[in-house]
Amino acid sequence: ERRRREAIAAATCLTEALTDHLNVGVAQAYVNQRKLDQEVKTLQIQAAQFAKQTGQWISMVENFNQALKEIGDVENWARSIEMDMRTIATALEYVCKGQLQPSGS
C-alpha cells in the first residue's frame, strides 16, 4: 500500500511537472502571438499611411504635369499671336509703303 501511495505521489508530481512545462510553452506561444498581432496592426496602419502618402504624391505629379501642359498651351498660343501680329505688321507696312509712293509714277 505504501508503494502504491508513493507511486501515485510520484505520478502526480510527474504529471504536475509535465503540465507546468507545457504551460510555460503555451504561455510563451500566447505572448508571441500577441506580439505578432500588435506588429500586424502596426504594419497595417503604416501601410495605410504609406498608401495615402503615395496617393498624395501621385496627385501632386499629375497636377505638375497638367501645369506643364498648360504652360505649353500658353507658349503655343503666344507663338500663334506673335505670328498673327507679324502678318498684320507686314501687311500694314506694305499698305503704308503703297500710300507713300508718288501717284504720278
Side-chain angles (χ1 to χ4, degrees):
E1 183 64 32
R2 189 187 84 183
R3 285 187 180 176
R4 184 175 159 279
R5 280 183 275 165
E6 288 175 357
I8 290 173
T12 302
C13 286
L14 176 64
T15 303
E16 287 176 358
L18 288 173
T19 303
D20 288 345
H21 179 72
L22 289 174
N23 283 342
V24 168
V26 169
Q28 186 62 44
Y30 178 74
V31 167
N32 290 344
Q33 182 62 42
R34 288 190 58 176
K35 287 180 183 177
L36 286 172
D37 289 343
Q38 284 298 104
E39 288 293 323
V40 166
K41 286 178 185 177
T42 301
L43 285 173
Q44 286 174 335
I45 290 168
Q46 289 175 347
Q49 289 172 342
F50 181 71
K52 181 180 177 181
Q53 187 177 31
T54 302
Q56 290 172 342
W57 289 342
I58 289 170
S59 177
M60 287 173 57
V61 168
E62 287 174 352
N63 290 340
F64 180 70
N65 283 339
Q66 184 61 35
L68 287 177
K69 286 178 186 176
E70 289 173 5
I71 288 171
D73 291 344
V74 169
E75 185 178 2
N76 287 336
W77 174 80
R79 283 187 188 141
S80 177
I81 294 295
E82 182 182 9
M83 289 186 64
D84 289 347
M85 294 303 290
R86 285 185 182 178
T87 302
I88 291 170
T90 302
L92 287 174
E93 283 180 31
Y94 178 75
V95 169
C96 285
K97 285 181 183 176
Q99 287 180 357
L100 292 177
Q101 290 180 356
S103 46
S105 32

